[in-house]
Amino acid sequence: MSDTVHIVLDDTAMMAAGQGNVLASRLIHRAHAEPGWFLYAPACALVEADRARPGTAEHLVSLPGITVLDLDLAAALALARQETWAVAHSQYAAQPTPDRPDGAVVATTAPGRWQGEPVRVLDLTP
């Protein structure tokens, strides 16, 4: 286990951040201020969050410490296996990679949607 922390924001966490959720704000602050904290916004989840709450995408991408994850070929192929692109891209982004050998935790305000999925979840529900 490494000392780095990798967190993927799902669409619900992104909307919560835009609405002043204290837990989401703390994650954003840590990703900006503390070494070893990394926060990711999968592009498909970002689009879905912006559809539900216009302005969310512009707000999040302007914040320091957040890395937008593009939809590459491997991610696109993973989307075909899920019901929504936002969930699929978030789940894909949380899987282990050479850069993130332990994978990432999915931050969400809807932890029930991740039940039974092969991801670790961080509940941002206040």
Side-chain angles (χ1 to χ4, degrees):
M1 228 39 195
S2 73
D3 291 335
T4 59
V5 178
H6 297 278
I7 299 174
V8 173
L9 298 172
D10 76 357
D11 56 315
T12 67
M14 292 179 196
M15 288 184 292
Q19 295 173 321
N21 179 293
V22 173
L23 299 173
S25 294
R26 286 182 186 164
L27 288 177
I28 293 166
H29 173 74
R30 282 193 152 174
H32 172 65
E34 294 185 30
W37 279 75
F38 299 93
L39 202 54
Y40 305 99
C44 292
L46 191 61
V47 168
E48 206 54 44
D50 199 69
R51 283 182 181 166
R53 189 170 190 274
T56 299
E58 289 85 1
H59 173 71
L60 281 174
V61 300
S62 71
L63 297 173
I66 295 181
T67 302
V68 176
L69 299 177
D70 294 331
L71 183 63
D72 60 13
L73 177 59
L77 295 173
L79 295 180
R81 298 184 199 112
Q82 297 292 333
E83 285 185 36
T84 72
W85 286 30
V87 170
H89 201 188
S90 298
Q91 182 176 337
Y92 174 80
Q95 300 308 307
T97 67
D99 293 339
R100 298 182 299 275
D102 296 325
V105 176
V106 175
T108 184
T109 61
R113 94 170 6 167
W114 296 103
Q115 193 169 13
E117 297 296 335
V119 296
R120 295 172 289 158
V121 171
L122 176 61
D123 186 356
L124 299 182
T125 306

